[in-house]
Amino acid sequence: ETNPDCLIGSIVKILFFNDKFLFIENLQRKSVLMFNDNGKFVKKIGTEGRGPGEYVTIRDVALDINNKSIVFLDDYGGKLLFYDLDGNFVTHKKLYYYPTAFSILNDDSFLFYQGRSINIHIPAITEYNLLFSKSDQSISGKAISYSYRDKYKSFSMGSLHSFNASENGVMFCPPYANEIYKITGRNNVVEKYTLNIGPKDVLNAMGPSTTNDDFTNLLNTGNYYYFDGPAIESDNFLYFYIGRGGDCFFSKKTKKLS
């Protein structure tokens, strides 16, 4: 179906549940569009604005299947907005820290990704990639220190590929670390894969004085590859993307790449 209300632009995420699709566009239109599995437009969820029940931005969207909710992360508005599975607004919860992505785990924990030093008003958490919170949004844990970035002190780029759903959890790739973690519950974080990109890994050419511009210039030489996500796991394969290299499929059975 096509009409002015449901034209799809720059999609950043797609979610599927109960025979419905959610298309998230948080760049230009700042909207979440719901379609059924026959392609029929159902509705646009939420309203942009600064009033009650409205969002300033849509940084990320997650499904809370246990509690039958669609949840928006409005980082500029400093809150989470909760909708039922039909897209009707229910409530919001204030955030006292500033994440840039999130997911909701099977044990009802909220999992957040934060940029380094973005939450300097809470010193105990500012040097960690991941935060866990309870349903009231009080912080209940943290994981994966940013200390691995100390050898690139002048480099501050993050990643747009934070979380990808997998069976019984989510996959997380710390930006520019070549590691893939699986997270299945609060504080249950396991490093599952480490990628060996080889001598053309751009990290090998970086040092403490490498800036964001230097990083871009290295890639523009065409001599280097990089990894900052995403990674998605199935029963038989691991998919990941190597920047300047392309799509990779790793067979768990044969232990080979394709």
Coordinates of all heavy atoms in Angstrom, one line a residue, residues 204-246:
N204 N 45.6 -2.1 13.2 CA 47.1 -2.2 13.2 C 47.8 -1.0 12.8 O 49.0 -0.8 13.1 CB 47.5 -3.4 12.2 CG 47.0 -4.7 12.6 OD1 46.8 -5.0 13.8 ND2 46.7 -5.6 11.7
A205 N 47.2 -0.1 12.1 CA 47.8 1.2 11.7 C 47.5 2.3 12.6 O 47.9 3.5 12.3 CB 47.4 1.5 10.3
M206 N 46.8 2.1 13.7 CA 46.4 3.2 14.6 C 47.2 3.2 15.8 O 47.7 2.2 16.2 CB 44.9 3.0 14.9 CG 43.9 3.2 13.7 SD 42.2 2.8 14.1 CE 41.8 4.0 15.3
G207 N 47.3 4.4 16.4 CA 48.0 4.5 17.7 C 47.3 5.6 18.5 O 46.3 6.2 18.2
P208 N 48.0 6.0 19.6 CA 47.4 7.0 20.5 C 47.1 8.4 19.9 O 46.2 9.1 20.4 CB 48.5 7.2 21.6 CG 49.3 5.9 21.6 CD 49.3 5.5 20.1
S209 N 47.8 8.7 18.8 CA 47.6 10.0 18.2 C 46.6 10.0 17.0 O 46.4 11.0 16.4 CB 48.9 10.7 17.8 OG 49.6 9.9 16.8
T210 N 46.1 8.8 16.7 CA 45.2 8.7 15.5 C 43.9 9.4 15.8 O 43.2 9.0 16.8 CB 45.0 7.2 15.2 OG1 46.2 6.6 14.9 CG2 44.1 7.1 13.9
T211 N 43.5 10.4 15.0 CA 42.3 11.1 15.2 C 41.2 10.5 14.3 O 41.5 9.6 13.5 CB 42.5 12.6 14.8 OG1 42.8 12.6 13.4 CG2 43.6 13.2 15.6
N212 N 40.0 11.0 14.4 CA 38.9 10.5 13.6 C 39.2 10.8 12.1 O 38.9 9.9 11.2 CB 37.6 11.2 13.9 CG 37.1 10.8 15.3 OD1 37.7 9.9 16.0 ND2 36.0 11.4 15.8
D213 N 39.8 11.9 11.8 CA 40.1 12.3 10.4 C 41.2 11.3 9.9 O 41.2 10.9 8.7 CB 40.6 13.7 10.3 CG 39.5 14.7 10.4 OD1 38.3 14.3 10.2 OD2 39.7 15.9 10.7
D214 N 42.2 11.0 10.8 CA 43.3 10.1 10.4 C 42.7 8.7 10.0 O 43.1 8.1 9.1 CB 44.3 9.9 11.5 CG 45.1 11.2 11.8 OD1 45.2 12.0 10.9 OD2 45.5 11.3 12.9
F215 N 41.7 8.3 10.8 CA 41.0 7.0 10.6 C 40.4 7.0 9.2 O 40.5 6.0 8.4 CB 40.0 6.7 11.7 CG 39.2 5.5 11.5 CD1 39.6 4.3 11.9 CD2 37.9 5.6 11.0 CE1 38.8 3.1 11.7 CE2 37.1 4.5 10.8 CZ 37.5 3.3 11.1
T216 N 39.7 8.0 8.9 CA 39.0 8.1 7.6 C 40.0 8.2 6.5 O 39.8 7.5 5.4 CB 38.1 9.4 7.6 OG1 37.1 9.4 8.6 CG2 37.4 9.5 6.2
N217 N 41.1 8.9 6.7 CA 42.1 8.9 5.6 C 42.8 7.6 5.4 O 43.1 7.2 4.3 CB 43.2 10.0 6.0 CG 42.7 11.4 5.9 OD1 41.7 11.7 5.2 ND2 43.3 12.3 6.7
L218 N 43.0 6.8 6.5 CA 43.5 5.4 6.3 C 42.6 4.6 5.5 O 43.0 3.9 4.6 CB 43.7 4.8 7.7 CG 44.9 5.3 8.5 CD1 44.8 4.8 10.0 CD2 46.2 4.8 7.9
L219 N 41.3 4.6 5.8 CA 40.3 3.8 5.0 C 40.3 4.3 3.6 O 40.1 3.4 2.7 CB 38.9 3.9 5.6 CG 38.8 3.3 7.0 CD1 37.3 3.5 7.5 CD2 39.2 1.9 7.1
N220 N 40.4 5.6 3.3 CA 40.3 6.1 2.0 C 41.5 5.7 1.1 O 41.5 5.8 -0.1 CB 40.2 7.6 2.0 CG 38.8 8.1 2.4 OD1 37.9 7.3 2.4 ND2 38.7 9.3 2.9
T221 N 42.6 5.2 1.7 CA 43.7 4.6 0.9 C 43.3 3.3 0.2 O 44.0 2.9 -0.7 CB 44.9 4.4 1.8 OG1 44.7 3.3 2.7 CG2 45.4 5.6 2.6
G222 N 42.3 2.7 0.7 CA 41.9 1.4 0.1 C 42.7 0.2 0.6 O 42.5 -0.9 0.1
N223 N 43.5 0.5 1.6 CA 44.5 -0.6 2.0 C 44.0 -1.3 3.3 O 44.7 -2.3 3.8 CB 45.9 0.0 2.3 CG 46.5 0.5 1.0 OD1 46.3 0.0 0.0 ND2 47.2 1.6 1.2
Y224 N 42.9 -0.8 3.9 CA 42.5 -1.4 5.2 C 41.0 -1.8 5.3 O 40.2 -1.2 4.6 CB 42.8 -0.3 6.3 CG 44.3 0.0 6.4 CD1 44.8 1.2 5.9 CD2 45.2 -0.9 7.1 CE1 46.1 1.5 6.0 CE2 46.5 -0.5 7.2 CZ 47.0 0.6 6.6 OH 48.3 0.9 6.7
Y225 N 40.8 -2.7 6.2 CA 39.4 -3.1 6.5 C 39.1 -2.8 8.0 O 40.1 -2.5 8.8 CB 39.2 -4.6 6.3 CG 39.6 -5.1 4.9 CD1 40.6 -6.0 4.8 CD2 38.9 -4.6 3.8 CE1 40.9 -6.5 3.5 CE2 39.2 -5.1 2.6 CZ 40.2 -6.0 2.4 OH 40.5 -6.4 1.1
Y226 N 37.8 -2.8 8.4 CA 37.5 -2.5 9.8 C 36.2 -3.3 10.1 O 35.4 -3.7 9.3 CB 37.3 -1.0 10.1 CG 36.1 -0.4 9.4 CD1 34.9 -0.3 10.1 CD2 36.2 0.0 8.1 CE1 33.8 0.3 9.5 CE2 35.1 0.6 7.5 CZ 33.9 0.7 8.2 OH 32.8 1.2 7.5
F227 N 36.0 -3.4 11.4 CA 34.8 -4.1 11.9 C 34.2 -3.2 13.0 O 34.8 -2.9 14.0 CB 35.0 -5.5 12.4 CG 33.8 -6.1 13.1 CD1 32.7 -6.5 12.3 CD2 33.7 -6.3 14.4 CE1 31.6 -7.1 12.9 CE2 32.6 -6.9 15.0 CZ 31.6 -7.3 14.2
D228 N 32.9 -2.8 12.9 CA 32.2 -2.1 13.9 C 30.8 -2.7 14.0 O 29.9 -2.0 14.6 CB 32.2 -0.6 13.8 CG 31.3 -0.1 12.6 OD1 31.0 -0.9 11.8 OD2 31.0 1.1 12.6
G229 N 30.5 -3.9 13.5 CA 29.2 -4.5 13.5 C 28.6 -4.3 12.1 O 29.2 -3.7 11.2
P230 N 27.4 -4.9 11.9 CA 26.6 -5.7 12.8 C 27.0 -7.1 12.8 O 27.8 -7.5 12.0 CB 25.2 -5.5 12.3 CG 25.4 -5.4 10.8 CD 26.7 -4.6 10.6
A231 N 26.5 -7.9 13.7 CA 26.7 -9.4 13.7 C 25.3 -10.0 14.1 O 24.7 -9.6 15.1 CB 27.7 -9.8 14.7
I232 N 24.9 -11.0 13.4 CA 23.7 -11.7 13.6 C 23.9 -13.2 13.6 O 24.6 -13.7 12.7 CB 22.6 -11.3 12.6 CG1 22.4 -9.8 12.6 CG2 21.3 -12.1 12.8 CD1 21.5 -9.3 11.4
E233 N 23.4 -13.9 14.6 CA 23.7 -15.4 14.7 C 22.4 -16.2 14.5 O 21.3 -15.8 15.0 CB 24.2 -15.6 16.1 CG 24.7 -17.1 16.3 CD 25.2 -17.3 17.7 OE1 24.6 -16.8 18.6 OE2 26.2 -18.0 17.8
S234 N 22.5 -17.3 13.8 CA 21.4 -18.3 13.7 C 22.0 -19.6 14.2 O 23.1 -19.6 14.7 CB 21.0 -18.4 12.2 OG 22.0 -19.0 11.4
D235 N 21.2 -20.6 14.1 CA 21.6 -21.9 14.6 C 22.9 -22.4 13.8 O 23.7 -23.1 14.4 CB 20.5 -23.0 14.4 CG 19.4 -22.7 15.4 OD1 19.6 -22.1 16.4 OD2 18.3 -23.3 15.2
N236 N 22.9 -22.1 12.5 CA 24.0 -22.6 11.7 C 25.1 -21.7 11.2 O 26.1 -22.1 10.8 CB 23.4 -23.3 10.4 CG 22.4 -24.4 10.8 OD1 22.8 -25.3 11.6 ND2 21.3 -24.5 10.2
F237 N 24.7 -20.4 11.3 CA 25.7 -19.4 10.7 C 25.8 -18.2 11.7 O 24.9 -17.9 12.5 CB 25.2 -18.9 9.4 CG 25.3 -19.9 8.3 CD1 24.2 -20.7 8.0 CD2 26.5 -19.9 7.5 CE1 24.4 -21.6 6.9 CE2 26.6 -20.8 6.5 CZ 25.5 -21.7 6.2
L238 N 27.0 -17.5 11.5 CA 27.2 -16.2 12.0 C 27.4 -15.2 10.9 O 28.2 -15.5 10.0 CB 28.4 -16.1 12.9 CG 28.9 -14.7 13.4 CD1 27.9 -14.2 14.4 CD2 30.3 -14.7 13.9
Y239 N 26.5 -14.2 10.8 CA 26.7 -13.2 9.8 C 27.4 -12.0 10.4 O 27.0 -11.5 11.5 CB 25.4 -12.7 9.2 CG 25.5 -11.4 8.4 CD1 26.0 -11.4 7.1 CD2 25.2 -10.2 9.0 CE1 26.1 -10.2 6.4 CE2 25.3 -9.0 8.4 CZ 25.8 -9.0 7.0 OH 25.9 -7.8 6.4
F240 N 28.4 -11.4 9.7 CA 28.9 -10.1 10.1 C 29.4 -9.3 8.9 O 29.5 -9.9 7.8 CB 30.1 -10.3 11.1 CG 31.2 -11.1 10.6 CD1 32.3 -10.6 10.0 CD2 31.1 -12.5 10.8 CE1 33.4 -11.4 9.6 CE2 32.2 -13.3 10.4 CZ 33.3 -12.8 9.8
Y241 N 29.6 -8.1 9.1 CA 30.0 -7.2 7.9 C 31.4 -6.6 8.2 O 31.6 -6.0 9.3 CB 29.0 -6.1 7.7 CG 29.3 -5.2 6.6 CD1 29.0 -5.6 5.3 CD2 29.9 -4.0 6.8 CE1 29.3 -4.7 4.2 CE2 30.3 -3.1 5.7 CZ 29.9 -3.5 4.4 OH 30.3 -2.7 3.4
I242 N 32.3 -6.7 7.3 CA 33.6 -6.1 7.4 C 33.6 -4.8 6.5 O 33.4 -4.9 5.3 CB 34.7 -7.1 6.9 CG1 34.8 -8.3 7.8 CG2 36.1 -6.4 6.9 CD1 35.2 -8.0 9.2
G243 N 33.8 -3.7 7.2 CA 33.9 -2.4 6.4 C 35.0 -2.4 5.4 O 36.1 -2.8 5.7
R244 N 34.6 -2.0 4.2 CA 35.5 -2.0 3.0 C 35.8 -3.4 2.5 O 36.5 -3.6 1.6 CB 36.8 -1.3 3.2 CG 36.6 0.2 3.7 CD 35.9 1.0 2.7 NE 35.6 2.3 3.3 CZ 36.2 3.5 2.9 NH1 37.3 3.4 2.1 NH2 35.8 4.6 3.4
G245 N 35.1 -4.4 3.1 CA 35.3 -5.8 2.7 C 34.1 -6.5 2.2 O 34.0 -7.0 1.1
G246 N 33.0 -6.4 3.0 CA 31.7 -6.9 2.6 C 31.1 -7.8 3.5 O 31.5 -8.0 4.7

